[in-house]
Amino acid sequence: MAKLVRDKIPEIIRAAGHEAQFRVVRDQEYNSFLIEKMKEELSEFEETPNLEEAADMYEVFLTFLKNWGIELSDVRKFAQYKSRERGKFDGGIVLDEIIEKN
C-alpha cells in the first residue's frame, strides 16, 4: 500500500480527522517510488484522460527532473533537437518489424 503522495497529504488527512502513518524516503528508495508514481499516474490517465490526470503526470515529471538535476529548459531544447532530427510522435507511425537485407 505504500505510495508516494503529495507533500500536503499528511496535513489534509489530519485535518479530515484521520490518522495515517507516513515516512520520508530518500536516494534509491525515493527514485523507485517516483517511478512507481509515474506508472500510477500514467495508468490513471489511460483510464480517464483529462486535465487533472495530465497535471498529475506533469507534476511527477517535474519532480523527476528536480531529483535527477535536469533543467526543464534543457529538456525542451533537446526535445526540439530530436523533433527536428527524428520527428515527433504525431503521425501515429508504428514499427512492426525491421526486415534485414541480405
Side-chain angles (χ1 to χ4, degrees):
M1 162 69 186
K3 69 177 190 172
L4 190 66
V5 295
R6 291 177 178 265
D7 298 340
K8 293 184 179 182
I9 295 301
E11 61 190 72
I12 291 170
I13 290 174
R14 284 190 210 84
H18 302 291
E19 290 184 22
Q21 187 174 9
F22 298 95
R23 62 190 167 100
V24 175
V25 294
R26 296 283 181 238
D27 303 321
Q28 187 55 43
E29 187 177 19
Y30 182 53
N31 296 345
S32 295
F33 274 104
L34 270 175
I35 291 167
E36 286 305 312
K37 188 64 174 182
M38 183 58 90
K39 290 176 185 177
E40 174 190 333
E41 297 304 342
L42 285 167
S43 176
E44 290 174 2
F45 186 83
E46 183 179 29
E47 291 174 23
T48 311
N50 60 36
L51 181 60
E52 180 180 358
E53 299 305 337
D56 288 345
M57 287 188 305
Y58 181 70
E59 188 69 36
V60 175
F61 177 69
L62 292 176
T63 304
F64 264 67
L65 298 182
K66 182 179 177 184
N67 189 54
W68 277 281
I70 301 170
E71 294 293 327
L72 181 57
S73 60
D74 292 336
V75 172
R76 286 185 180 132
K77 288 175 193 170
F78 200 74
Q80 290 171 347
Y81 164 76
K82 288 189 81 169
S83 292
R84 284 190 309 272
E85 296 295 315
R86 302 183 69 112
K88 297 186 177 192
F89 296 97
D90 297 342
I93 299 169
V94 174
L95 174 65
D96 287 323
E97 179 182 5
I98 294 178
I99 301 165
E100 297 292 330
K101 292 184 177 183
N102 292 337

